[in-house]
Amino acid sequence: MNAAAPLRAAALLGCALVAGCGGGGGAAAGPAPVAGAGPLAYDHSVALGGWQAQPIGYSAGSATTPATVSTASASALLAAGSNALVAIHQEPALAGLIEVCVSGDGQSTNVVAPINLGVIAQSAAVLLDAGWSPLADPAAAWAALAARQAVLDGWENCGVKPEGAPSPSSRLTAQAGGGYAEDVYDGNPGTTYNVVSQTVTAAQMAAMLSATGYATSADPTRPLQLYWRFYADAAGHQLAIEMGLPQAGAPAALKGFIALYVPAP
Protein backbone atom coordinates (compact mmCIF):
# COMPACT_ATOMS: atom_id res chain seq x y z
CA MET A 1 0.00 0.00 0.00
CA ASN A 2 1.03 3.57 -0.65
CA ALA A 3 2.08 5.18 2.65
CA ALA A 4 -0.55 7.91 2.41
CA ALA A 5 0.16 11.29 3.90
CA PRO A 6 -1.34 11.87 7.37
CA LEU A 7 -2.87 15.15 6.16
CA ARG A 8 -5.01 13.25 3.65
CA ALA A 9 -6.04 10.78 6.33
CA ALA A 10 -6.89 13.64 8.68
CA ALA A 11 -9.07 15.25 6.03
CA LEU A 12 -10.96 11.99 5.58
CA LEU A 13 -11.48 11.62 9.31
CA GLY A 14 -12.85 15.13 9.64
CA CYS A 15 -15.24 14.42 6.78
CA ALA A 16 -16.49 11.17 8.32
CA LEU A 17 -17.02 12.82 11.70
CA VAL A 18 -18.32 16.33 11.07
CA ALA A 19 -20.19 16.04 7.81
CA GLY A 20 -21.28 12.40 8.10
CA CYS A 21 -19.99 11.69 4.59
CA GLY A 22 -18.29 8.70 3.08
CA GLY A 23 -19.87 5.26 3.16
CA GLY A 24 -20.86 3.33 6.24
CA GLY A 25 -18.49 5.13 8.59
CA GLY A 26 -20.75 8.15 8.90
CA ALA A 27 -24.16 6.53 8.51
CA ALA A 28 -26.70 7.13 11.27
CA ALA A 29 -28.33 4.28 13.19
CA GLY A 30 -31.84 5.10 14.39
CA PRO A 31 -32.53 8.69 15.45
CA ALA A 32 -29.48 10.78 14.59
CA PRO A 33 -27.79 12.44 17.59
CA VAL A 34 -28.41 16.19 17.54
CA ALA A 35 -25.49 18.56 18.01
CA GLY A 36 -25.92 20.67 21.12
CA ALA A 37 -28.71 18.49 22.52
CA GLY A 38 -26.54 17.10 25.34
CA PRO A 39 -24.88 13.69 25.60
CA LEU A 40 -26.86 10.57 24.79
CA ALA A 41 -26.46 7.74 27.29
CA TYR A 42 -24.93 4.45 26.20
CA ASP A 43 -25.06 2.62 29.51
CA HIS A 44 -23.90 -0.84 28.40
CA SER A 45 -20.77 0.31 26.54
CA VAL A 46 -17.54 -1.68 26.26
CA ALA A 47 -14.21 0.18 26.20
CA LEU A 48 -10.83 -1.17 25.21
CA GLY A 49 -9.26 -2.72 28.29
CA GLY A 50 -12.00 -4.90 29.79
CA TRP A 51 -15.46 -6.39 29.38
CA GLN A 52 -17.26 -4.71 32.27
CA ALA A 53 -20.18 -2.64 30.96
CA GLN A 54 -19.86 1.06 31.67
CA PRO A 55 -21.93 4.18 30.94
CA ILE A 56 -20.47 6.42 28.25
CA GLY A 57 -22.12 9.61 27.01
CA TYR A 58 -21.98 10.60 23.34
CA SER A 59 -22.33 14.16 22.03
CA ALA A 60 -22.55 14.78 18.29
CA GLY A 61 -20.16 17.22 16.64
CA SER A 62 -20.87 20.15 14.39
CA ALA A 63 -19.14 21.90 11.51
CA THR A 64 -16.80 23.56 14.01
CA THR A 65 -16.54 21.12 16.93
CA PRO A 66 -15.69 17.42 17.09
CA ALA A 67 -18.01 14.78 18.48
CA THR A 68 -17.06 13.72 21.99
CA VAL A 69 -17.60 10.92 24.47
CA SER A 70 -17.59 11.36 28.22
CA THR A 71 -16.91 8.72 30.84
CA ALA A 72 -16.25 8.66 34.56
CA SER A 73 -13.69 5.86 34.23
CA ALA A 74 -10.47 5.92 32.22
CA SER A 75 -9.68 3.04 29.87
CA ALA A 76 -6.84 2.18 27.51
CA LEU A 77 -7.64 4.96 24.99
CA LEU A 78 -10.19 7.12 26.85
CA ALA A 79 -9.39 9.49 29.66
CA ALA A 80 -11.88 10.14 32.45
CA GLY A 81 -14.00 13.12 31.39
CA SER A 82 -14.48 14.35 27.83
CA ASN A 83 -12.65 12.85 24.84
CA ALA A 84 -12.65 14.22 21.28
CA LEU A 85 -13.35 11.73 18.49
CA VAL A 86 -11.85 11.60 15.01
CA ALA A 87 -14.33 9.11 13.50
CA ILE A 88 -17.36 6.99 14.29
CA HIS A 89 -19.14 4.02 12.70
CA GLN A 90 -22.87 3.34 12.94
CA GLU A 91 -25.03 0.62 11.40
CA PRO A 92 -28.36 1.73 9.88
CA ALA A 93 -30.03 -1.54 10.95
CA LEU A 94 -28.68 -1.56 14.52
CA ALA A 95 -30.00 1.22 16.73
CA GLY A 96 -28.28 2.08 19.99
CA LEU A 97 -24.80 1.27 18.68
CA ILE A 98 -21.81 3.48 17.85
CA GLU A 99 -18.19 2.46 17.43
CA VAL A 100 -16.03 5.44 18.40
CA CYS A 101 -12.45 6.16 17.36
CA VAL A 102 -9.88 8.53 18.80
CA SER A 103 -6.62 9.79 17.35
CA GLY A 104 -4.10 6.97 17.43
CA ASP A 105 -2.15 4.41 15.44
CA GLY A 106 -4.70 2.63 13.25
CA GLN A 107 -2.18 0.88 11.01
CA SER A 108 -3.33 -2.60 12.05
CA THR A 109 -6.44 -4.79 12.00
CA ASN A 110 -6.64 -7.23 14.92
CA VAL A 111 -3.36 -9.20 14.71
CA VAL A 112 -2.45 -8.05 11.18
CA ALA A 113 0.08 -5.19 10.93
CA PRO A 114 1.32 -2.99 9.40
CA ILE A 115 -1.53 -2.26 6.99
CA ASN A 116 -3.66 0.76 6.03
CA LEU A 117 -0.60 2.97 6.33
CA GLY A 118 -1.40 6.54 7.29
CA VAL A 119 -4.56 5.80 9.29
CA ILE A 120 -4.64 7.89 12.46
CA ALA A 121 -7.92 6.59 13.90
CA GLN A 122 -8.03 3.83 16.53
CA SER A 123 -11.10 2.12 18.00
CA ALA A 124 -11.53 3.10 21.65
CA ALA A 125 -14.95 1.72 22.55
CA VAL A 126 -18.18 0.23 21.27
CA LEU A 127 -21.06 2.30 22.65
CA LEU A 128 -24.14 0.22 23.47
CA ASP A 129 -27.33 1.64 24.94
CA ALA A 130 -29.53 -0.09 27.51
CA GLY A 131 -31.22 -2.10 24.76
CA TRP A 132 -28.09 -4.24 24.30
CA SER A 133 -26.92 -6.96 26.68
CA PRO A 134 -24.11 -9.53 26.57
CA LEU A 135 -25.10 -13.10 25.74
CA ALA A 136 -24.40 -15.24 28.78
CA ASP A 137 -22.85 -18.15 26.87
CA PRO A 138 -20.34 -16.94 24.24
CA ALA A 139 -19.56 -20.52 23.17
CA ALA A 140 -23.23 -21.24 22.43
CA ALA A 141 -23.59 -17.96 20.55
CA TRP A 142 -20.60 -18.79 18.39
CA ALA A 143 -21.79 -22.37 17.82
CA ALA A 144 -25.05 -21.02 16.38
CA LEU A 145 -23.14 -18.74 14.01
CA ALA A 146 -20.75 -21.52 13.00
CA ALA A 147 -23.61 -23.95 12.31
CA ARG A 148 -25.01 -21.62 9.64
CA GLN A 149 -21.58 -20.41 8.49
CA ALA A 150 -22.50 -16.81 9.21
CA VAL A 151 -20.61 -13.97 7.54
CA LEU A 152 -19.63 -10.90 9.58
CA ASP A 153 -18.11 -7.57 8.57
CA GLY A 154 -15.45 -6.09 10.84
CA TRP A 155 -15.26 -2.32 11.37
CA GLU A 156 -12.11 -1.91 13.45
CA ASN A 157 -10.82 1.67 13.50
CA CYS A 158 -14.23 2.80 12.20
CA GLY A 159 -13.32 1.52 8.73
CA VAL A 160 -11.11 4.54 8.06
CA LYS A 161 -8.82 4.20 5.02
CA PRO A 162 -6.47 6.84 3.56
CA GLU A 163 -7.62 6.03 0.01
CA GLY A 164 -11.26 7.11 0.33
CA ALA A 165 -14.56 6.51 2.08
CA PRO A 166 -14.78 4.26 5.15
CA SER A 167 -15.21 0.58 4.35
CA PRO A 168 -15.14 -2.69 6.34
CA SER A 169 -11.78 -3.62 7.81
CA SER A 170 -12.38 -7.33 7.25
CA ARG A 171 -14.91 -10.03 6.39
CA LEU A 172 -15.14 -13.14 8.55
CA THR A 173 -16.81 -16.42 7.62
CA ALA A 174 -17.67 -18.81 10.44
CA GLN A 175 -16.88 -22.45 9.69
CA ALA A 176 -19.07 -25.41 10.56
CA GLY A 177 -16.21 -27.03 12.49
CA GLY A 178 -16.02 -24.11 14.93
CA GLY A 179 -13.17 -22.03 13.51
CA TYR A 180 -13.30 -19.16 11.03
CA ALA A 181 -11.60 -17.69 7.98
CA GLU A 182 -11.09 -13.94 7.77
CA ASP A 183 -10.07 -11.69 4.89
CA VAL A 184 -8.43 -8.56 6.28
CA TYR A 185 -8.56 -5.57 3.93
CA ASP A 186 -5.55 -3.36 3.36
CA GLY A 187 -6.93 -0.34 1.52
CA ASN A 188 -10.19 0.29 -0.33
CA PRO A 189 -11.70 -1.76 -3.16
CA GLY A 190 -11.05 0.00 -6.47
CA THR A 191 -7.96 1.83 -5.18
CA THR A 192 -4.83 0.53 -3.51
CA TYR A 193 -6.06 -2.81 -2.22
CA ASN A 194 -4.67 -6.02 -0.75
CA VAL A 195 -6.28 -8.91 1.12
CA VAL A 196 -4.52 -10.69 3.97
CA SER A 197 -6.23 -14.00 4.71
CA GLN A 198 -6.02 -15.68 8.11
CA THR A 199 -7.54 -18.83 9.57
CA VAL A 200 -8.47 -19.48 13.19
CA THR A 201 -8.92 -23.10 14.28
CA ALA A 202 -11.81 -24.40 16.39
CA ALA A 203 -9.44 -24.91 19.34
CA GLN A 204 -8.12 -21.34 19.08
CA MET A 205 -11.64 -19.94 18.88
CA ALA A 206 -12.72 -22.00 21.89
CA ALA A 207 -9.91 -20.38 23.87
CA MET A 208 -10.94 -16.90 22.68
CA LEU A 209 -14.48 -17.58 23.91
CA SER A 210 -13.24 -18.60 27.36
CA ALA A 211 -12.55 -16.35 30.34
CA THR A 212 -8.78 -16.73 29.92
CA GLY A 213 -8.60 -15.98 26.18
CA TYR A 214 -6.06 -17.10 23.61
CA ALA A 215 -2.43 -16.00 23.64
CA THR A 216 -1.54 -15.18 20.04
CA SER A 217 1.99 -15.53 18.70
CA ALA A 218 1.09 -14.23 15.22
CA ASP A 219 3.24 -11.12 15.74
CA PRO A 220 5.97 -11.37 18.41
CA THR A 221 6.14 -7.56 18.58
CA ARG A 222 2.44 -7.43 19.57
CA PRO A 223 1.86 -10.12 22.24
CA LEU A 224 -1.92 -10.08 22.72
CA GLN A 225 -4.52 -12.13 24.56
CA LEU A 226 -7.58 -12.46 22.28
CA TYR A 227 -11.23 -12.64 23.34
CA TRP A 228 -14.65 -12.74 21.64
CA ARG A 229 -18.02 -11.76 23.16
CA PHE A 230 -21.54 -11.44 21.72
CA TYR A 231 -24.40 -9.01 22.36
CA ALA A 232 -28.09 -8.96 21.48
CA ASP A 233 -31.03 -6.55 21.69
CA ALA A 234 -34.69 -7.23 22.40
CA ALA A 235 -35.45 -7.51 18.67
CA GLY A 236 -32.98 -10.38 18.31
CA HIS A 237 -30.26 -8.44 16.50
CA GLN A 238 -26.76 -9.60 17.36
CA LEU A 239 -23.25 -8.18 17.14
CA ALA A 240 -19.82 -9.41 18.12
CA ILE A 241 -16.81 -7.72 19.68
CA GLU A 242 -13.25 -8.99 19.48
CA MET A 243 -10.75 -7.57 21.93
CA GLY A 244 -6.98 -8.00 22.07
CA LEU A 245 -5.37 -7.11 25.39
CA PRO A 246 -1.63 -6.89 26.07
CA GLN A 247 -0.14 -10.02 27.57
CA ALA A 248 1.84 -9.83 30.81
CA GLY A 249 5.23 -8.27 30.13
CA ALA A 250 4.12 -6.63 26.85
CA PRO A 251 5.62 -3.22 25.98
CA ALA A 252 3.83 -0.37 27.77
CA ALA A 253 3.08 1.28 24.43
CA LEU A 254 0.96 -1.71 23.33
CA LYS A 255 -2.69 -0.83 23.99
CA GLY A 256 -4.36 -3.67 22.12
CA PHE A 257 -7.50 -3.35 20.03
CA ILE A 258 -11.28 -3.52 20.12
CA ALA A 259 -13.17 -4.44 16.95
CA LEU A 260 -16.88 -4.41 16.11
CA TYR A 261 -18.33 -7.20 13.94
CA VAL A 262 -21.85 -7.05 12.48
CA PRO A 263 -23.84 -9.31 10.12
CA ALA A 264 -22.67 -8.77 6.54
CA PRO A 265 -25.32 -7.38 4.17
Side-chain angles (χ1 to χ4, degrees):
M1 162 184 277
N2 186 340
L7 286 177
R8 188 151 59 98
L12 167 63
L13 295 174
C15 175
L17 169 65
V18 176
C21 60
V34 178
L40 297 180
Y42 289 81
D43 290 337
H44 291 179
S45 299
V46 178
L48 176 60
W51 291 105
Q52 183 175 359
Q54 61 177 287
I56 296 180
Y58 173 80
S59 297
S62 70
T64 56
T65 60
T68 60
V69 291
S70 56
T71 176
S73 302
S75 54
L77 293 176
L78 295 177
S82 181
N83 296 260
L85 303 177
V86 296
I88 67 171
H89 174 71
Q90 295 178 272
E91 285 286 318
L94 300 178
L97 159 70
I98 309 177
E99 182 183 26
V100 297
C101 294
V102 297
S103 178
D105 183 0
Q107 300 178 119
S108 63
T109 296
N110 53 62
V111 299
V112 181
I115 60 173
N116 295 316
L117 303 184
V119 169
I120 56 173
Q122 189 170 5
S123 303
V126 176
L127 307 190
L128 300 171
D129 69 12
W132 290 93
S133 297
L135 296 178
D137 189 340
W142 173 251
L145 293 174
R148 59 186 177 86
Q149 298 180 52
V151 180
L152 306 176
D153 277 343
W155 283 92
E156 188 177 340
N157 302 331
C158 298
V160 172
K161 309 287 176 57
E163 294 83 4
S167 63
S169 55
S170 67
R171 174 159 286 192
L172 179 153
T173 302
Q175 297 176 330
Y180 66 80
E182 186 171 18
D183 288 337
V184 176
Y185 302 142
D186 182 11
N188 266 0
T191 60
T192 305
Y193 188 59
N194 183 45
V195 176
V196 181
S197 297
Q198 59 176 346
T199 300
V200 168
T201 68
Q204 290 169 336
M205 187 59 174
M208 295 181 201
L209 295 167
S210 72
T212 54
Y214 173 72
T216 178
S217 56
D219 183 349
T221 69
R222 299 172 69 229
L224 296 168
Q225 203 79 9
L226 304 180
Y227 304 83
W228 279 87
R229 297 294 182 266
F230 302 89
Y231 295 77
D233 66 8
H237 301 116
Q238 292 190 18
L239 60 85
I241 296 175
E242 184 184 13
M243 196 181 304
L245 301 178
Q247 295 174 14
L254 182 63
K255 303 302 182 184
F257 70 87
I258 183 169
L260 170 69
Y261 285 79
V262 296

